[in-house]
Amino acid sequence: MGLRIIIFGPPGSGKGTRARLIGRLLKIPVITTGDMLRDEVSRGTEIGLKAKEYMDRGELVPDELVIGLVEERLRRPDCSGGFILDGFPRNLNQAEALDRILGEMGVKLDLVLNVVVDPEIVVERLSLRRWCPKCGAIYNLKYDPPKVDEICDECGARLIQRSDDREEVVRRRLRVYEEQTRPILQLYLERGLVREMRGDIPIEEIPREVEEVLGPYLKETGVKAPKSGI
Ligand code: AMP
């Protein structure tokens, strides 16, 4: 049986990098609401057109747009063996919606991984972040650059800087996180689901940290612990 995981933390904490690593390791899908919304925006769908103005300002997209997308995704067959949610839930209403959806599916959460990082590190890190609009891979020009300048190692697409990674938008996103997102951690602490990860370690140490935190769960799923190169 796979694991059902939320990866939690402020923007720029390294959630996405960890989520992708864990997803590859456990062979479970990573559901990244930010990527799903950016995809809606780039395809010019009705949801994308509505979401764009909120995203550009660094505010949360209205719940009714996001919850529907996540619900539809979670109900697809590939999520039956576990999943990682990256970027959802982001407020109390979304957390309650997730409880309802999982309840209806007859499953429950196993783990909430809380990535802890100093907000000032986030501002610097996001200004150096580059993103692959095709496959979602994430790079940092200083700490984790692509092998070829501006080109995604994984799929060869041209990397971009997200418009909401500009400093003033990042500060707004951090405020939104503090006011609306961080409080829901309490819910999961009360259920004993939270494990901490340090968001300030060098990128090459992340696999070991993942191994430490997931170790007991990996035994349950029969997956071998990660080695370098994942
Ligand atoms: P992220 O890539 O997770 O930083 O998300 C980028 C932007 O997408 C956020 O600043 C929000 O505008 C929007 N977004 C992503 N996930 C959610 C969510 N669960 N609820 C509302 N808005 C979201």
Side-chain angles (χ1 to χ4, degrees):
M1 194 205 68
L3 291 174
R4 298 179 182 87
I5 301 173
I6 293 175
I7 190 138
F8 199 90
S13 55
K15 295 194 299 295
T17 303
R18 285 163 177 76
R20 289 170 71 86
L21 198 72
I22 296 167
R24 222 175 294 166
L25 176 69
L26 299 179
K27 299 187 175 60
I28 52 179
V30 182
I31 301 171
T32 304
T33 46
D35 284 356
M36 289 165 80
L37 288 166
R38 279 184 286 278
D39 182 55
E40 298 283 334
V41 172
S42 72
R43 288 191 290 121
T45 64
E46 203 179 319
I47 290 178
L49 292 174
K50 288 183 188 153
K52 187 176 184 319
E53 54 174 311
Y54 296 93
M55 297 173 77
D56 286 345
R57 289 200 300 263
E59 289 169 12
L60 294 186
V61 169
D63 290 341
E64 63 269 22
L65 300 181
V66 181
I67 291 170
L69 277 180
V70 171
E71 175 157 14
E72 189 273 325
R73 183 68 190 85
L74 282 173
R75 289 182 187 278
R76 282 195 225 156
D78 64 335
C79 290
S80 63
F83 54 78
I84 307 177
L85 279 169
D86 167 14
F88 186 93
R90 267 212 178 47
N91 60 25
L92 187 60
N93 191 37
Q94 293 182 11
E96 288 170 355
L98 179 62
D99 282 344
R100 171 188 61 77
I101 296 164
L102 296 183
E104 285 171 12
M105 290 168 64
V107 299
K108 52 186 178 38
L109 282 172
D110 296 293
L111 199 56
V112 175
L113 297 174
N114 182 31
V115 187
V116 181
V117 70
D118 178 337
E120 281 312 309
I121 295 185
V122 164
V123 177
E124 192 223 2
R125 197 183 267 175
L126 291 190
S127 70
L128 295 168
R129 175 160 80 176
R130 295 295 180 273
W131 176 72
C132 175
K134 194 166 162 210
C135 77
I138 305 154
Y139 300 86
N140 181 292
L141 294 185
K142 193 159 143 196
Y143 303 108
D144 183 25
K147 292 190 183 83
V148 181
D149 231 15
E150 293 180 47
I151 300 295
C152 179
D153 291 349
E154 292 183 29
C155 74
R158 185 161 291 277
L159 302 178
I160 58 168
Q161 178 173 36
R162 282 168 45 178
S163 57
D164 60 348
D165 280 348
R166 293 191 320 270
E167 179 166 344
E168 71 276 17
V169 186
V170 168
R171 293 200 185 274
R172 166 80 64 90
R173 289 161 64 202
L174 282 168
R175 263 205 311 283
V176 168
Y177 173 79
E178 287 301 327
E179 289 168 10
Q180 301 187 51
T181 308
R182 191 205 285 277
I184 63 175
L185 196 59
Q186 190 56 33
L187 210 77
Y188 300 119
L189 282 167
E190 283 162 16
R191 296 182 198 170
L193 292 177
V194 180
R195 303 287 175 275
E196 280 197 359
M197 293 188 130
R198 289 186 47 189
D200 59 354
I201 57 173
I203 188 117
E204 56 278 8
E205 288 178 24
I206 294 177
R208 194 155 45 88
E209 191 195 36
V210 165
E211 179 184 351
E212 265 170 39
V213 175
L214 286 185
Y217 301 90
L218 294 177
K219 269 197 211 111
E220 259 174 47
T221 55
V223 173
K224 286 217 171 54
K227 295 198 172 55
S228 57
I230 55 172

